Amino acid sequence: MRILERFFAWYGGGIAKHPVITIQICIVFVSVCSVGFIWFRTENRTVNLFIPQSSKAIDDLDRAEKYFPLKIREEIVLLEASTDGLNVLESDCLIQAFKAHNEVMEVESYLDFCVTLSGNKSKSPDQCMMVNALEFAQFNESKLDGKDLQQVRHELDKAYNSTALMRNGRPFWYNFNRMFGDAKREGGSITEAKALQMVYFINDPSDDETNERIIDWEKTFIDKVASLVGKLSCFEVHYSSERSLDDAIAESSGSDVSWVSITFTLMITFACFMLGKFLNPLTGHSLLANAGVFAVALGILAGLGLSMWFRVPFVSIVGALPFLVLGIGIDDMFIMVDELDRQPRELSKTETIKAVMKHSGATVTMTTVTDLVAFAVSTSTSFPAIR
């Protein structure tokens, strides 16, 4: 402890004698660290955040990908009957379902990303794999236009009993329960259904650049389908994408941003008000309090920038850390200002700062090292998001 006190006495003396140089060095250091924001990138994928990367599950998936490299993402559109008693097999409802299907087909780059049975890039929508209730009509609206329920049922029965394969390489009967919800039969014939489901298969590449493009495509897919909500009289539209779980986690993590902002404001106001001592010019330290908060902000900026220098991605949970750092920084600021108030008034500025740093520097260092160890230990966790 004595060694720390001597070090901080020398350090405080240096700061007091060369304040401008000290401030310039700090600003230059923070500026250099801030350059790291050039490499700013986020990571929201659940599999990369909450599944231990050394787990057997990940090892098995990697082993499977070595021999069977095709991975698939599912984009789902669920059309539920808007009222009780409505049969979605009515031709008018099925024609409305075509509107939802056509919206997906019109999403840009769908052919570039859709999965095909051959594994090659698709040249036409007919080659894209999907499980779609509309395939019984060969995706031709004219086959349903003007048809009554009896005729639609006949077409369904014909498709159900056919040996022809659908676009996913399975017969119609095999996919039936995934396409029609709460379906009913009479005498072996399909008479009624309460919901339709369309599943579109998209490639899930391992390289980050293509994966980002597909994630962006899924955002467009969600926006397109969301635009149909309330526009189809027969249906309530529901939808899901592979990114939906990631979006939900990110939304949950960032849902309290407004409350955190209010807490930041209250903490800063409290610190400045209390240290200002009712803005008393003789005993208050309002400017020093503001400088202390500003120093904490520079520390947060430097820490994030330095992490990005080392290509550490930003995850939503990190948004809570500035709150913790600000609390730690303000605690240390109160300790140092309290020590400043204890110094005799006759001391020079240099001697005052030396004394303050000598007595408070060691305490602040010990609390900081404790926090540093706590954060460092968390890097050993198996959860990537925490690490």
Side-chain angles (χ1 to χ4, degrees):
M1 186 65 73
R2 288 184 177 276
I3 295 175
L4 283 176
E5 289 179 353
R6 292 177 182 176
F7 169 77
F8 280 107
W10 168 81
Y11 177 68
I15 292 176
K17 292 177 182 178
H18 308 287
V20 176
I21 295 176
T22 302
I23 293 173
Q24 289 175 339
I25 291 173
C26 291
I27 292 177
V28 168
F29 174 76
V30 173
S31 300
V32 171
C33 291
S34 300
V35 174
F37 280 90
I38 293 174
W39 298 284
F40 177 84
R41 66 183 182 91
T42 60
E43 179 60 80
N44 296 319
R45 287 171 291 179
T46 303
V47 68
N48 290 339
L49 293 180
F50 300 103
I51 298 179
Q53 298 303 294
S54 59
S55 66
K56 188 177 187 302
I58 293 295
D59 290 342
D60 289 345
L61 287 173
D62 291 340
R63 181 65 61 86
E65 188 177 359
K66 177 181 177 181
Y67 299 102
F68 306 97
L70 182 63
K71 293 194 295 184
I72 296 176
R73 302 171 72 91
E74 291 189 357
E75 322 300 330
I76 300 174
V77 179
L78 174 63
L79 303 177
E80 180 186 14
S82 58
T83 59
D84 291 338
L86 178 64
N87 186 356
V88 299
L89 299 183
E90 297 283 352
S91 60
D92 291 342
C93 291
L94 292 174
I95 288 175
Q96 288 186 21
F98 267 104
K99 294 182 180 180
H101 171 70
N102 291 334
E103 286 291 333
V104 177
M105 292 296 99
E106 292 171 3
V107 177
E108 186 179 0
S109 301
Y110 172 70
L111 294 183
D112 295 334
F113 300 136
C114 74
V115 176
T116 63
L117 286 174
S118 65
N120 300 322
K121 182 178 177 180
S122 174
K123 295 181 180 179
S124 72
D126 295 339
Q127 296 178 341
C128 292
M129 287 177 59
M130 63 182 69
V131 176
N132 195 320
L134 300 176
E135 191 165 349
F136 84 93
Q138 288 80 49
F139 298 102
N140 188 347
E141 291 183 57
S142 62
K143 289 194 173 187
L144 300 174
D145 192 20
K147 299 290 182 68
D148 59 21
L149 180 58
Q150 190 67 29
Q151 292 171 309
V152 172
R153 288 168 53 183
H154 175 70
E155 292 294 329
L156 272 173
D157 291 338
K158 187 168 66 172
Y160 189 88
N161 295 306
S162 173
T163 57
L165 300 182
M166 296 180 66
R167 290 187 181 179
N168 70 331
R170 297 285 191 269
F172 190 88
W173 63 265
Y174 186 92
N175 297 314
F176 182 83
N177 289 333
R178 198 173 188 193
M179 296 186 294
F180 297 92
D182 197 14
K184 295 182 180 178
R185 300 169 180 273
E186 288 182 6
S189 178
I190 303 158
T191 60
E192 185 180 359
K194 298 300 183 184
L196 302 177
Q197 182 172 248
M198 309 174 188
V199 183
Y200 303 90
F201 300 110
I202 300 297
N203 283 306
D204 187 12
S206 55
D207 63 289
D208 291 339
E209 183 178 351
T210 308
N211 192 275
E212 285 295 328
R213 291 175 58 203
I214 288 177
I215 289 175
D216 292 339
W217 182 91
E218 289 180 338
K219 178 64 169 64
T220 307
F221 162 83
I222 290 173
D223 293 340
K224 277 270 193 180
V225 179
S227 67
L228 295 172
V229 175
K231 294 184 178 180
L232 304 180
S233 58
C234 281
F235 298 109
E236 291 183 7
V237 181
H238 307 277
Y239 48 89
S240 175
S241 174
E242 286 288 338
R243 65 170 287 161
S244 296
L245 181 59
D246 300 336
D247 290 342
I249 292 175
E251 182 181 352
S252 176
S253 301
S255 60
D256 294 330
V257 170
S258 58
W259 289 106
V260 171
S261 300
I262 293 173
T263 306
F264 267 107
T265 304
L266 291 175
M267 289 177 65
I268 293 171
T269 303
F270 173 79
C272 295
F273 184 76
M274 294 303 296
L275 293 177
K277 297 183 179 177
F278 307 99
L279 302 180
N280 188 325
L282 297 178
T283 60
H285 305 287
S286 56
L287 290 177
L288 187 59
N290 282 280
V293 172
F294 182 65
V296 174
L298 289 179
I300 295 172
L301 184 63
L304 290 175
L306 189 61
S307 296
M308 292 166 194
W309 263 106
F310 292 98
R311 309 299 194 271
V312 177
F314 181 88
V315 297
S316 55
I317 197 171
V318 174
L321 292 183
F323 176 75
L324 300 177
V325 175
L326 182 63
I328 295 168
I330 288 180
D331 287 348
D332 293 340
M333 183 170 64
F334 274 102
I335 293 173
M336 298 176 73
V337 172
D338 180 67
E339 186 62 35
L340 177 64
D341 288 335
R342 296 173 183 271
Q343 304 306 312
R345 297 295 177 181
E346 62 271 12
L347 292 179
S348 65
K349 293 179 181 178
T350 301
E351 292 300 320
T352 299
I353 294 177
K354 286 178 65 176
V356 169
M357 295 302 295
K358 177 181 179 180
H359 294 100
S360 65
T363 303
V364 169
T365 299
M366 294 305 294
T367 59
T368 303
V369 169
T370 303
D371 296 324
L372 177 62
V373 171
F375 281 115
V377 168
S378 70
T379 64
S380 64
T381 181
S382 58
F383 287 100
I386 303 298
R387 186 170 66 245

